[in-house]
Amino acid sequence: MVPNTLAFWSYLIFLIPSIICSLFVLYHLLFDRILRHALHNHVIIVVLFIVIIYEITVYPWMLYYYQYQNISGIPNIFCTIRTFLDWNLCITQTILISWATIERHILIFHDKWVSTKKKRFFIHYLPLIALVLYCFIFYMIVYFFPPCENLFDHSSLTCVYSCLYDIYAFAIWQTVAHQILPVLIIIVFSTALLLRVIWQKFRIHQSIQWRKYRKMTIQLLSVSFLYLIFYLPLSVAHTILLWNLMDDIYFEFQDYAIYFSYFVIPLFPFVCILSLPELRTKLINTLHLQRRRIAPEIILIKAPVYKHMNI
């Protein structure tokens, strides 16, 4: 089992820089006209909004739990809201990234499918809206309007258990469609994208086309790699659970898989910066500007000291 102290400090170390980085990336994606109008950035923008909401709502609650290890007296409605946000936001951003791996094939190899406003609405905007609404409504029903009575356990981090999970068909759908399938889609379509891009590059020998699509490819593969590293173990754990192959080793593996899965959200904005050359340049320029502003202040502070010494 992961020690609470380790979980507390490891999450806290990444959380604060991640919030700052998320705001930086989101600001430039929204206010830079070129970045804002690029279709491949729209999923990233939506996921960044989810990341920020998650970081300022779910993570503080997690840190409080790991620090004090006692949540007795917390109202049931608070547990319900917290668990709803946790599941809804986490599953939504995973499903959106899995859709992005599919959509990236369209944007690179079938760009005529989004050449008009009508096509862009049905191929690009409608799936985004539908997936977000689906997850929101699904987990609203699960935690706020279930046909049965949810159970509360204030000794647990989640602190509420949906009674719907006792229905086998529902539990299968929740596990396969929301947690295993998105990761499989990311694996398959990211690998296929890499192979198709390499094949097209050497078959057509058009360097201009390659430079045009290289950014989109690198961005998606970087994000996909992040999700595979930290979500794949959890998907394996869910698959073992479906086959009822649990033992003592499984439960320890599951604890660490859940622990590492919570690093995806705080690391996501850093991957965005590293995968977008425009944002890397803006960040470097911002840091250089800050250094130039700090340097004259240091000189002004030191100047009277040297003058006094000369006297």
Side-chain angles (χ1 to χ4, degrees):
M1 185 175 180
V2 179
N4 287 343
T5 304
L6 173 62
F8 175 84
W9 285 109
S10 57
Y11 291 146
L12 181 61
I13 288 172
F14 285 99
L15 181 60
I16 297 176
S18 178
I19 294 175
I20 298 172
C21 188
S22 299
L23 294 173
F24 175 84
V25 177
L26 191 59
Y27 171 81
H28 287 288
L29 288 179
L30 289 176
F31 291 97
D32 187 303
R33 186 176 179 277
I34 297 176
L35 294 176
R36 184 177 67 250
H37 286 279
L39 295 182
H40 62 274
N41 284 332
H42 291 173
V43 171
I44 302 299
I45 291 173
V46 175
V47 173
L48 279 170
F49 272 112
I50 293 174
V51 165
I52 292 174
I53 295 172
Y54 198 98
E55 288 180 330
I56 63 178
T57 56
V58 177
Y59 277 101
W61 166 254
M62 292 171 55
L63 294 176
Y64 178 88
Y65 173 82
Y66 288 128
Q67 177 69 13
Y68 297 102
Q69 304 174 19
N70 183 11
I71 55 175
S72 59
I74 298 296
N76 289 345
I77 186 62
F78 184 86
C79 285
T80 303
I81 294 173
R82 183 266 166 199
T83 308
F84 163 75
L85 289 172
D86 189 357
W87 277 96
N88 177 37
L89 298 176
C90 185
I91 296 300
T92 301
Q93 52 95 21
T94 308
I95 291 178
L96 287 178
I97 294 300
S98 67
W99 159 247
T101 61
I102 299 174
E103 186 192 38
R104 203 58 55 100
H105 286 262
I106 298 174
L107 297 179
I108 294 178
F109 301 106
H110 307 283
D111 53 339
K112 291 182 180 179
W113 293 11
V114 290
S115 58
T116 65
K117 289 184 178 180
K118 185 177 181 180
K119 291 179 179 179
R120 281 196 295 272
F121 174 77
F122 285 104
I123 300 296
H124 176 69
Y125 293 105
L126 186 59
L128 270 177
I129 297 170
L131 291 173
V132 172
L133 286 178
Y134 162 75
C135 292
F136 180 82
I137 294 172
F138 182 91
Y139 288 104
M140 279 289 291
I141 295 173
V142 169
Y143 290 106
F144 290 100
F145 307 104
C148 46
E149 187 175 351
N150 290 336
L151 302 177
F152 293 90
D153 179 13
H154 292 282
S155 63
S156 170
L157 175 63
T158 304
C159 72
V160 59
Y161 174 81
S162 175
C163 56
L164 289 173
Y165 292 137
D166 292 330
I167 302 174
Y168 182 75
F170 178 89
I172 290 293
W173 173 260
Q174 152 69 14
T175 303
V176 175
H178 293 177
Q179 300 178 73
I180 297 177
L181 186 59
V183 175
L184 290 177
I185 290 175
I186 292 173
I187 294 174
V188 172
F189 282 88
S190 297
T191 305
L193 178 66
L194 179 61
L195 295 177
R196 289 185 72 180
V197 167
I198 294 174
W199 172 252
Q200 289 286 99
K201 181 178 183 294
F202 287 100
R203 185 173 69 90
I204 303 177
H205 298 289
Q206 291 183 347
S207 58
I208 296 177
Q209 287 291 100
W210 164 243
R211 286 197 297 268
K212 179 182 177 182
Y213 299 129
R214 181 177 56 186
K215 294 179 182 179
M216 286 195 287
T217 305
I218 293 175
Q219 181 195 56
L220 180 71
L221 292 179
S222 301
V223 172
S224 299
F225 189 64
L226 170 69
Y227 278 75
L228 292 181
I229 290 177
F230 292 100
Y231 274 164
L232 185 58
L234 190 59
S235 296
V236 172
H238 291 316
T239 304
I240 295 173
L241 182 63
L242 285 178
W243 290 95
N244 199 25
L245 301 174
M246 298 170 292
D247 55 18
D248 293 338
I249 298 177
Y250 164 80
F251 288 109
E252 185 174 353
F253 171 75
Q254 184 189 45
D255 287 338
Y256 278 94
I258 294 173
Y259 165 73
F260 283 110
S261 69
Y262 277 105
F263 282 101
V264 169
I265 287 180
L267 290 177
F268 181 81
F270 297 108
V271 173
C272 290
I273 285 185
L274 294 176
S275 62
L276 289 172
E278 301 92 336
L279 292 183
R280 287 205 308 269
T281 303
K282 290 178 184 294
L283 178 62
I284 293 172
N285 292 338
T286 302
L287 294 176
H288 285 172
L289 182 61
Q290 288 297 112
R291 289 178 181 176
R292 290 176 183 176
R293 289 178 178 176
I294 294 173
E297 294 178 3
I298 296 174
I299 295 173
L300 290 174
I301 292 172
K302 288 184 177 181
V305 176
Y306 292 125
K307 184 177 180 180
H308 178 74
M309 291 175 63
N310 290 334
I311 292 174

